[in-house]
Amino acid sequence: MVAFIIFTAFDYSPIFAQAVETRTTQSQKYNAPALSSPDSWSIILVPDPQTYGKFARNQPLFELMTSWVSENIDPLNIKMVLCTGDLVEQNEYINPDGVSGNQPSKSQWESVSRAFGRLDGKVPYVTALGNHDYGYKSIENRKSNFNNYFPVDKNFKNQEILREVGLNAEGIPTMENAAFEFTSPQGRKILILSLEFAPRDTTVNWAKKVISQEKYKDHTVVVLTHSYMNSKNEHIVKEKYPIENGNYGAALFDKLIKPSKNIQMVFAGHIGSPDKPKEHIAFRTDKNAAGKKIQQMVFNAQALGGGWMGNGGDGWLRILEFLPDGKTIKVKTFSPLFAISPTTQQYAWRTEPYDEFSFEID
């Protein structure tokens, strides 16, 4: 039996035209980050970098993020960069298993310090310390290599606005607990208060004394810490870390934030679940002792882009645009990693209501 195969002509041009149209439409959807008003200014919120640092292949991705920030200091009028902590996966790890990470701690610290070095002398940046920045793997004690890689004189832009320094658990003044002051273009005086992971009572008391000083009474105080809320927008009550005298989110709120008269914003990270953006974020509003709104935001991305062993977080960061009315802040969630190529630019913005929204401060 002989089988005959008959080839017929087929016009592929409609398919190619559709593909071109689709790609063009996708390309047109992308808009590079820009301020909605020429008189606005911005803060960049950088989530936990730890998963970028633990694999050699991921380290350049975090450097891409800070390079993008550097390139956009003027276009976005960036006045400050804040990082939510867990700068490294392990603080003092010398023998990685090659599965959960392939870089020893020294390489991780060098990498994150080098990445932030892209901003040295250009814009101030403040980093909280997370549980992974202490101890051996995860805060078995409160010793950290942070001060070796982020000394006070690393970035003179930080040093210019540094006003108060607290003591770490070893009794050494470092930027683990520190306050930074600057004035917005609209004249609002802002104090950034960076606190160690699960701050000790002595740290909380130090922070209370700082913000209650007469010279800061009219400042808008922003607290930057690592562990604060879960993805249900609840203050974290307790975590199972082998440290004593630690104040997690609920205790920090009750002892420091709610009784204050000038804390109006809190930023944190820490939480996450593999490839679930909503599990990495939280937001809530409360009021302080003066009746002013306290806007509290958690933003992380470390288990996106392939989970805990993935690419580090798909390059996500947040752009906080402070409008010239002096009270409105627009939040947008953006990835320089996706934005770098026309092939992936259509994925560079997250536009769910919990990723793109506005809030106001008093």
Side-chain angles (χ1 to χ4, degrees):
M1 184 175 187
V2 180
F4 294 93
I5 300 175
I6 301 175
F7 293 94
T8 58
F10 185 81
D11 184 6
Y12 286 92
S13 58
I15 295 177
F16 285 118
Q18 183 179 4
V20 170
E21 182 181 357
T22 300
R23 179 156 186 171
T24 301
T25 302
Q26 289 175 339
S27 299
Q28 289 175 343
K29 287 181 181 178
Y30 174 73
N31 292 305
L35 297 176
S36 60
S37 166
D39 296 320
S40 292
W41 61 279
S42 66
I43 288 177
I44 304 299
L45 187 61
V46 178
D48 305 15
Q50 64 196 84
T51 309
Y52 294 112
K54 67 183 182 181
F55 290 108
R57 62 180 177 267
N58 291 348
Q59 289 180 353
L61 302 184
F62 190 63
E63 196 155 344
L64 180 152
M65 294 167 65
T66 56
S67 296
W68 177 88
V69 173
S70 177
E71 291 175 356
N72 283 274
I73 291 171
D74 289 336
L76 296 180
N77 200 11
I78 299 170
K79 300 300 183 184
M80 174 68 70
V81 177
L82 302 179
C83 178
T84 59
D86 273 353
L87 300 172
V88 295
E89 180 73 3
Q90 302 100 1
N91 173 59
E92 199 67 80
Y93 200 42
I94 62 174
N95 189 27
D97 60 17
V99 178
S100 58
N102 59 20
Q103 295 300 291
S105 293
K106 184 175 184 291
S107 169
Q108 295 179 41
W109 279 112
E110 288 173 344
S111 174
V112 71
S113 179
R114 181 174 61 249
F116 274 107
R118 294 276 185 170
L119 307 177
D120 286 347
K122 300 176 182 178
V123 68
Y125 54 82
V126 180
T127 64
L129 266 70
N131 48 297
H132 287 271
D133 300 324
Y134 291 99
Y136 181 59
K137 289 185 178 180
S138 183
I139 203 161
E140 295 83 1
N141 56 62
R142 285 189 179 269
K143 293 182 179 180
S144 177
N145 285 312
F146 172 74
N147 198 44
N148 297 329
Y149 294 92
F150 289 88
V152 67
D153 59 350
K154 182 179 189 299
N155 179 8
F156 77 82
K157 288 289 187 178
N158 287 358
Q159 203 164 12
E160 285 179 344
I161 63 171
L162 179 63
R163 297 292 179 264
E164 313 284 344
V165 180
L167 302 180
N168 66 12
E170 299 177 87
I172 301 170
T174 74
M175 289 193 291
E176 292 171 60
N177 300 295
F180 304 81
E181 180 190 32
F182 70 98
T183 302
S184 79
Q186 286 75 42
R188 182 185 285 261
K189 293 186 180 297
I190 297 174
L191 191 73
I192 306 290
L193 186 64
S194 183
L195 301 177
E196 65 193 14
F197 176 78
R200 296 160 291 137
D201 286 337
T202 54
T203 300
V204 173
N205 291 334
W206 167 82
K208 290 172 71 173
K209 289 179 181 177
V210 167
I211 65 173
S212 63
Q213 292 181 64
E214 180 70 18
K215 60 184 176 180
Y216 300 131
K217 72 172 187 175
D218 295 324
H219 282 53
T220 296
V221 178
V222 179
V223 173
L224 178 67
T225 191
H226 181 66
S227 172
Y228 187 68
M229 288 192 291
N230 61 28
S231 60
K232 296 179 181 179
N233 309 318
E234 302 165 332
H235 294 125
I236 294 172
V237 175
K238 183 66 177 176
E239 297 191 78
K240 297 180 180 179
Y241 294 107
I243 54 170
E244 297 178 354
N245 186 22
N247 290 284
Y248 295 94
L252 190 62
F253 180 79
D254 289 340
K255 294 180 181 180
L256 173 66
I257 295 166
K258 185 178 180 180
S260 77
K261 294 183 178 181
N262 49 5
I263 295 177
Q264 294 192 57
M265 286 181 280
V266 181
F267 297 121
H270 188 54
I271 60 173
S273 181
D275 294 313
K276 296 179 180 178
K278 187 67 176 65
E279 296 296 311
H280 286 76
I281 61 175
F283 190 90
R284 68 179 283 161
T285 304
D286 292 290
K287 289 191 175 182
N288 65 21
K292 295 180 179 179
K293 292 187 288 288
I294 313 167
Q295 306 289 16
Q296 301 148 88
M297 179 191 298
V298 169
F299 175 61
N300 196 12
Q302 70 186 74
L304 303 179
W308 305 117
M309 312 308 166
N311 70 9
D314 273 345
W316 294 111
L317 48 75
R318 274 190 170 169
I319 304 167
L320 279 55
E321 179 185 354
F322 290 69
L323 269 59
D325 66 3
K327 63 180 182 179
T328 305
I329 300 168
K330 287 186 176 182
V331 178
K332 292 189 176 182
T333 308
F334 174 75
S335 170
L337 175 61
F338 288 137
I340 200 170
S341 169
T343 307
T344 55
Q345 283 177 339
Q346 65 266 30
Y347 307 115
W349 294 100
R350 282 174 24 193
T351 56
E352 294 292 336
Y354 50 77
D355 276 325
E356 185 175 332
F357 57 96
S358 297
F359 63 86
E360 291 186 355
I361 53 177
D362 294 316

